[in-house]
Amino acid sequence: MNTWDERFNTIEYVYGEQPNAFIENYVDFLEGYVNVAAYAEGEGRNAVYLASKGHVVTAFDYAKSGLEKTAQLAKKHGVTVNTQLQDLLQDELPVETFDAAVMVFGHFPAEQQHAVFQRIVNSVKPGGRIMMELYSTSQLSCATGGPQNINFLYNPASVLTWCQPYKIIHFFTGEQIRHEGTLHTGLAHTIQLIIEKS
């Protein structure tokens, strides 16, 4: 059992059952993008929300307990979410398979962040869209959730550089209020992006 398996191995949804506010506020940008991948999806709150909006969703995570809770949450809301037990750092991801992909607060070591980003982009078909909200390096001083190690946070300038080869629909970095379960609560410093592959 890995750290995330242990974290999600509770009855309570530690990040809540409601979708991430960025995903909820910008979901219209995924309209018409039917087949969506939700990466590092944890307990399934975003995947279930997207499924409720009519998307065909596959949730990827490497915590089996998280995926089990995703299935439970989907059942509770009367929707279907496909689940895939996958380690984004090591396992092969599908290539040019999905119409769109989302990732919210996926935590990876700095030296591997760009590789994960690129593999997620590669999993989307040409013309597809990618949406992410990430904790920036400034999140450390907020102490309202996320890794306590700056090496697992994202540098906004680096993320913007990764987005440059694609059409940037939305890019933001700054303070946001997040109330997501017991572990993400209060003023946070995030990076948001919506990009489109050509």
Side-chain angles (χ1 to χ4, degrees):
M1 184 177 276
N2 62 49
T3 305
W4 290 101
D5 247 334
E6 290 172 14
R7 176 167 293 182
F8 298 144
N9 195 21
T10 59
I11 293 171
E12 173 198 17
Y13 281 72
V14 294
Y15 295 110
E17 297 184 26
Q18 300 306 310
N20 165 263
F22 171 59
I23 298 295
E24 189 171 23
N25 292 339
Y26 287 83
V27 70
D28 289 351
F29 285 87
L30 296 180
E31 193 172 338
Y33 295 79
V34 177
N35 197 3
V36 180
Y39 289 106
E41 179 50 16
E43 301 166 302
R45 60 200 175 100
N46 302 305
V48 169
Y49 174 72
L50 291 170
S52 77
K53 291 289 185 180
H55 297 281
V56 177
V57 186
T58 304
F60 293 83
D61 205 275
Y62 91 136
K64 190 167 181 284
S65 60
L67 295 176
E68 287 167 355
K69 287 169 88 171
T70 297
Q72 289 169 16
L73 192 62
K75 187 175 180 182
K76 178 179 175 178
H77 288 271
V79 298
T80 301
V81 172
N82 305 309
T83 58
Q84 289 277 340
L85 187 65
Q86 209 134 23
D87 183 338
L88 299 188
L89 295 177
Q90 296 181 358
D91 299 336
E92 289 299 316
L93 296 185
V95 175
E96 294 190 359
T97 300
F98 299 101
D99 300 318
V102 302
M103 183 175 76
V104 174
F105 303 137
H107 306 316
F108 305 99
E111 62 273 13
Q112 293 175 296
Q113 288 170 357
H114 182 236
V116 171
F117 175 91
Q118 199 57 56
R119 292 168 79 202
I120 290 172
V121 171
N122 292 347
S123 76
V124 172
K125 298 171 188 172
R129 289 184 172 176
I130 297 95
M131 293 178 64
M132 295 186 185
E133 183 167 63
L134 310 165
Y135 278 128
S136 84
T137 46
S138 298
Q139 173 63 13
L140 209 57
S141 59
C142 294
T144 53
Q148 301 305 300
N149 178 346
I150 198 165
N151 192 51
F152 283 80
L153 300 172
Y154 292 78
N155 180 302
S158 297
V159 176
L160 182 58
T161 300
W162 304 344
C163 293
Q164 292 297 338
Y166 311 104
K167 178 183 176 184
I168 299 174
I169 296 169
H170 170 86
F171 190 92
F172 166 87
T173 183
E175 293 182 341
Q176 295 285 294
I177 300 293
R178 289 290 172 261
H179 292 293
E180 303 178 334
T182 55
L183 297 183
H184 290 172
T185 304
L187 188 68
H189 202 283
T190 74
I191 304 162
Q192 300 172 353
L193 64 95
I194 305 173
I195 57 174
E196 186 174 296
K197 283 179 77 171
S198 54

